[in-house]
Amino acid sequence: MDPPPAPPPPQPPGQCRNWLELPRDVTESILLRLGAIEILTSAQKVCLLWRNICKDPSMWRAVDMRNPGDFWDMPYDLETMCRHAVDRSCGQLVDINVEYFGTDELLNYIADCSSRLRRLQLVSCHSISEEGLSEVAAKLPLLEELNISYCSYWSLTKEPLEVVGRCCPLLKSLKLNSKGHRRPYIECDEEALAIAENMPELRQLQLFGNKLTNDGLLAILDGCPHLESLDLRQCFNVNLTENLGRRCAEQIKHLRFPTDPTDDAEIHDNGSSDEDYPSGFSDIDNFSDDYGYYEFSGDSDYSYYGDIIDYGDFYFD
């Protein structure tokens, strides 16, 4: 019997492994860890193999469009890039995160192309209107998670929340985060009542910096009997003492109190509103949710996308 083949010689110290020799499934796993921006501007240009992998619709079931928000330094159009990412999913998109950009038109495009969408995150999207959100909700019957955070240029009223509740019966997680304020000033239970009356299947609710009162909180506890996780940080109009505090302790498994620390949250500075906060009350802290929204370090190379925009769809086909 012939002896078994000798193992390959060890790589010399300091020599890097050729990434092109990795199995395809390992390469796919690595690329999935990147955001959509890095894939479209950099990763897909490494080689033909990576380009083919990056064109696979299964790579685009989740689209993460996180970015630093420094539009004046960006040589590309985020909305155009997002549309291409949605197109590549070929209808398989189930999770999308849009930050610091977006319009009603883009939101409708996402909904029209992604009837299977289950998770939608909109962070600091100041150009998306209540009407746009309501129109899109009617197209997403499978939606299970919705995050609307720090969209401070317009105040969300009860109407879009009511539409979301009616049109998205599977909704189990809602994050409705706004600017945290250090002192109680304005009291408003409109959003809380809309949630209580239209979202009975909620399991997770985050209301960072909301202006609800004890009445609004009690309505939520009554209207959302399956609620397990409730984040009330920076909700300084709520007083969790006596009966209401006991009710929360009995019903909610994971409760964050209004004065709980925000060490696990990152600041999103969207400015303050003089209408909501008079002189002396404008010390505002804006924080992201527990998913830990981050900013890029600034040394990523985004220069490629200028060529993509200039030369059309060639780089996406």
Side-chain angles (χ1 to χ4, degrees), residues 27-263:
T27 302
E28 290 177 354
S29 178
I30 293 173
L31 293 175
L32 280 171
R33 299 172 185 268
L34 302 178
I37 293 175
E38 285 110 326
I39 292 177
L40 291 174
T41 60
S42 302
Q44 69 170 3
K45 295 187 174 186
V46 169
C47 63
L48 183 60
L49 172 63
W50 283 27
R51 179 170 177 77
N52 289 335
I53 293 176
C54 291
K55 291 171 62 178
D56 189 331
S58 65
M59 290 287 295
W60 300 93
R61 298 183 74 248
V63 171
D64 187 353
M65 293 295 296
R66 301 185 193 190
N67 67 91
D70 300 328
F71 296 111
W72 47 89
D73 292 330
M74 294 182 183
Y76 49 81
D77 185 338
L78 283 173
E79 185 161 334
T80 298
M81 187 183 293
C82 186
R83 288 173 181 259
H84 281 295
V86 172
D87 289 344
R88 285 198 174 183
S89 74
C90 297
Q92 297 185 28
L93 184 67
V94 296
D95 181 355
I96 189 165
N97 177 29
V98 178
E99 295 190 13
Y100 294 108
F101 73 99
T103 60
D104 290 348
E105 290 74 17
L106 175 63
L107 200 55
N108 268 286
Y109 188 84
I110 294 171
D112 289 338
C113 298
S114 313
S115 60
R116 301 179 184 178
L117 197 67
R118 285 176 166 76
R119 187 181 191 210
L120 173 62
Q121 298 190 87
L122 305 173
V123 180
S124 297
C125 297
H126 308 307
S127 297
I128 293 177
S129 68
E130 292 185 340
E131 293 77 14
L133 182 61
S134 298
E135 183 178 351
V136 163
K139 302 176 182 180
L140 301 175
L142 301 181
L143 194 67
E144 297 179 3
E145 299 182 39
L146 176 62
N147 179 356
I148 308 173
S149 296
Y150 316 112
C151 298
S152 61
Y153 293 173
W154 49 275
S155 178
L156 192 66
T157 59
K158 64 178 182 179
E159 284 78 11
L161 290 175
E162 291 172 343
V163 173
V164 169
R166 290 195 302 267
C167 297
C168 307
L170 302 180
L171 193 68
K172 293 179 175 59
S173 174
L174 175 66
K175 297 189 176 185
L176 189 63
N177 299 321
S178 59
K179 296 179 293 185
H181 48 99
R182 295 190 183 278
R183 305 179 187 179
Y185 177 58
I186 293 180
E187 297 181 352
C188 181
D189 286 320
E190 189 174 85
E191 295 172 347
L193 294 177
I195 293 170
E197 296 169 1
N198 297 277
M199 302 180 184
E201 298 301 320
L202 281 184
R203 267 66 173 176
Q204 179 183 18
L205 178 60
Q206 187 175 65
L207 297 172
F208 200 102
N210 199 273
K211 300 167 188 173
L212 83 164
T213 69
N214 284 9
D215 292 337
L217 176 56
L218 185 59
I220 289 175
L221 295 175
D222 290 336
C224 305
H226 306 293
L227 197 61
E228 299 177 352
S229 176
L230 178 60
D231 190 342
L232 296 172
R233 284 178 293 174
Q234 306 285 305
C235 298
F236 293 126
N237 293 326
V238 171
N239 184 12
L240 296 180
T241 58
E242 299 181 352
N243 292 337
L244 184 58
R246 286 194 295 270
R247 171 79 181 274
C248 287
E250 294 171 357
Q251 183 171 341
I252 306 300
K253 294 180 180 179
H254 307 287
L255 177 64
R256 304 298 296 270
F257 289 82
T259 56
D260 275 359
T262 56
D263 297 342

